[in-house]
Amino acid sequence: MEARLAQLLESIISTTTAYALARLEFALRHSELPSPPLIDRLSDASAATLQEQWTRIEGQLDEARAFLSRHDDRRQKRAVYDPSFAWLQRTLRELDQYARAVRWVMTVEDGR
């Protein structure tokens, strides 16, 4: 596996861990709301694991994005006054950027 892809997958793994912590903090501060969706962590930074688990993780990312959209206020100002929401939003944005990069790599690799 290419070293850059391995580094990308390691970044996804660490950011998924940060998302889990942000998710927990949000759930603790907002017990009146449903908990943000889980996003599974890749079990390792290998191409085989990526092929096996990525489609499910992309679906989970979609669910998490939808959750944030439903629970933000109309003006999208919640992150300004809610640090737990801001952390959740930041980690999800970072995961989304990594997911786009992974999808691009997978598309390029399939084209070879």
Side-chain angles (χ1 to χ4, degrees), residues 2-83:
E2 191 175 311
R4 285 186 230 159
L5 179 58
Q7 290 173 339
L8 176 60
L9 296 180
E10 289 169 7
S11 295
I12 289 170
I13 290 167
S14 66
T15 305
T16 304
T17 301
Y19 172 83
L21 293 172
R23 177 184 177 275
L24 178 61
E25 182 175 331
F26 183 85
L28 288 171
R29 289 182 185 249
H30 299 284
S31 58
E32 75 282 2
L33 296 174
S35 294
L38 291 170
I39 298 175
D40 293 336
R41 193 173 72 85
L42 289 169
S43 54
D44 60 51
S46 70
T49 298
L50 179 64
Q51 291 294 329
E52 180 183 307
Q53 298 176 1
W54 190 250
T55 301
R56 183 181 70 249
I57 290 173
E58 278 186 315
Q60 292 170 339
L61 283 166
D62 289 341
E63 290 174 24
R65 281 191 293 270
F67 176 88
L68 284 180
S69 293
R70 285 191 308 272
H71 293 94
D72 200 358
D73 67 3
R74 286 186 206 158
R75 297 169 296 148
Q76 297 184 332
K77 298 287 185 185
R78 182 175 198 147
V80 172
Y81 63 87
D82 184 349

Side-chain angles (χ1 to χ4, degrees), residues 64-106:
R65 281 191 293 270
F67 176 88
L68 284 180
S69 293
R70 285 191 308 272
H71 293 94
D72 200 358
D73 67 3
R74 286 186 206 158
R75 297 169 296 148
Q76 297 184 332
K77 298 287 185 185
R78 182 175 198 147
V80 172
Y81 63 87
D82 184 349
S84 67
F85 184 84
W87 188 21
L88 191 68
Q89 189 176 50
R90 267 192 320 276
T91 57
L92 190 59
R93 282 183 182 158
E94 192 173 342
L95 280 170
D96 188 51
Q97 290 172 344
Y98 291 140
R100 291 170 195 253
V102 166
R103 181 49 59 193
W104 181 84
V105 168
M106 291 175 77

